[in-house]
């Protein structure tokens, strides 16, 4: 390889590294939190780590099934219409779009120490995550987001119910 | 004719630079939303999504800026070409696994849904711009040396 091309590659690596350094210096807090959060959620029970975490803990199908057996409450963050068309069996409806009107009732009905597993329309749907942040701010201590959501649940042939919230 | 080719090549360089500058800028505003968009690909371990979200927008910003300013064009085009190649691989893997996600390429908080296929086609188009941007420097160096 000629020097000309070596130089191009070296300069490209420098550009890349410069971008990484600038990005890390701007966002170092977020990255440190993310890596610390991961270690903490593995080392401590989720109920303890969630009380200090600002963000709901992401969770996956196997964990959802296990937690559901142990009494976790599934919360559907989609709009009421989608909930009526079909939701995870046993899930309650708390649409992100209407949470302001329904939150007080929800807080009265649900123990703040209960494990809540939020879901919406799967990967790429932000509602469950956003609702999770609201619920953490409102004092719920163990809030998780089931990222696969309704599409994954349905595709696995797991129980689905229809009906009004 | 030569002039026309030159306009096309430099137009491609500027278009590519502006595209990546914009993509980097908009994602740099919302790093947490972007981390979630990266997490949707289900390729990286959880915390690594945040590392990518923290750094990738700034690499895009820097490389895009250099292209627009016509400085270090080939190294910048190489960086963007490699990034674009990685994006294409990620999108192919998303399609192969049948995930229905938003690509998170520009606005990470999901204003407007871009499917993996649309994003893949767009990235292939950007790859053409990468080649044209690379050639824009070749022509200039040939012209100046002759």
């Amino acid at each position: 390889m000629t020097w000309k091309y070596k130089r191009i590659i070296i300069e490209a690596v420098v550009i890349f590294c410069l971008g990484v350094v600038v990005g890390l210096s701007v966002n170092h807090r977020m990255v440190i939190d993310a890596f610390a959060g991961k270690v903490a959620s593995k080392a401590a029970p989720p109920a303890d780590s969630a009380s200090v975490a600002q963000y709901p803990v992401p969770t996956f199908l196997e964990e959802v099934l296990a937690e559901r057996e142990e009494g976790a409450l599934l919360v559907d963050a989609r709009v009421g219409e989608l909930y009526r068309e079909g939701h995870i069996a046993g899930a309650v409806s708390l649409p992100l779009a209407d949470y302001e009107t329904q939150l007080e009732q929800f807080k009265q009905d649900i123990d703040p120490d209960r494990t809540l597993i939020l879901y919406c329309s799967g990967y790429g749907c932000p509602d469950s995550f956003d609702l999770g942040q609201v619920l953490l701010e409102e004092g719920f201590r163990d809030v998780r987001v089931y990222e696969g959501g309704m599409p994954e649940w349905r595709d696995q042939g797991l129980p689905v119910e229809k009906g009004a919230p | 004719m030569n002039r026309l080719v030159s306009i096309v090549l430099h137009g491609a360089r500027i278009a590519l630079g502006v595209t990546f500058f914009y993509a980097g800028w908009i994602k740099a505003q919302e790093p947490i939303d972007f981390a979630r968009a990266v997490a949707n690909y289900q390729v990286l371990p959880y915390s690594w999504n945040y590392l990518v979200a923290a750094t990738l927008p700034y690499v895009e910003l820097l490389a895009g800026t250099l292209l627009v300013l016509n400085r270090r064009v080939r190294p910048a085009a190489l960086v963007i070409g490699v990034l674009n190649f990685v994006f294409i691989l990620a999108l192919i893997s998303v399609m192969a696994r049948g995930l229905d996600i938003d690509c998170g390429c520009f606005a990470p908080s999901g204003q407007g849904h871009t499917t993996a296929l649309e994003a893949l086609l767009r990235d292939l188009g950007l790859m053409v711009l990468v080649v044209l941007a690379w050639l824009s420097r070749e022509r200039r160096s040939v012209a100046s040396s002759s």
Side-chain angles (χ1 to χ4, degrees), chain A residues 4-5 7-9 11-13 15-16 18-20 22-24 26-27 30-31 34-35 38 55-56 58 60 123-127 129-130 133 147, chain B residues 31-33 35-36 39-40 42 45-48 50-51 53-55 58-59 62-63 66 72 74-76 78-79 83 99-102 109 134 138:
Chain A
K4 186 179 150 195
Y5 287 104
R7 197 176 131 172
I8 290 172
I9 291 174
E11 288 184 353
V13 171
I15 292 171
F16 182 84
L18 257 174
V20 169
V22 173
L24 282 179
V26 175
N27 293 310
M30 180 184 82
V31 176
F35 278 87
K38 189 189 174 198
Y55 305 108
F60 299 94
Y123 291 98
C125 152
D127 291 12
F129 192 91
D130 294 344
Q133 284 180 294
E147 300 195 319
Chain B
I32 291 174
D33 285 330
R36 280 164 42 206
N40 285 341
Q42 300 176 65
Y46 175 67
S47 306
W48 284 79
Y50 287 87
L51 190 63
T55 54
Y58 292 88
V59 177
L62 185 58
L66 288 169
R72 299 279 180 270
R74 289 187 146 188
L78 181 62
V79 168
L83 288 182
L99 300 178
D100 176 25
I101 66 169
D102 187 73
S109 49
W134 178 280
E138 174 118 1

Side-chain angles (χ1 to χ4, degrees), chain A residues 103-123:
Chain A
L103 189 62
E104 279 311 310
Q105 188 63 42
F106 187 84
K107 282 168 76 177
Q108 281 175 24
D109 294 344
I110 310 295
D111 175 4
D113 283 323
R114 190 166 178 188
T115 299
L116 302 181
I117 300 178
L118 281 47
Y119 71 91
C120 50
S121 303
Y123 291 98

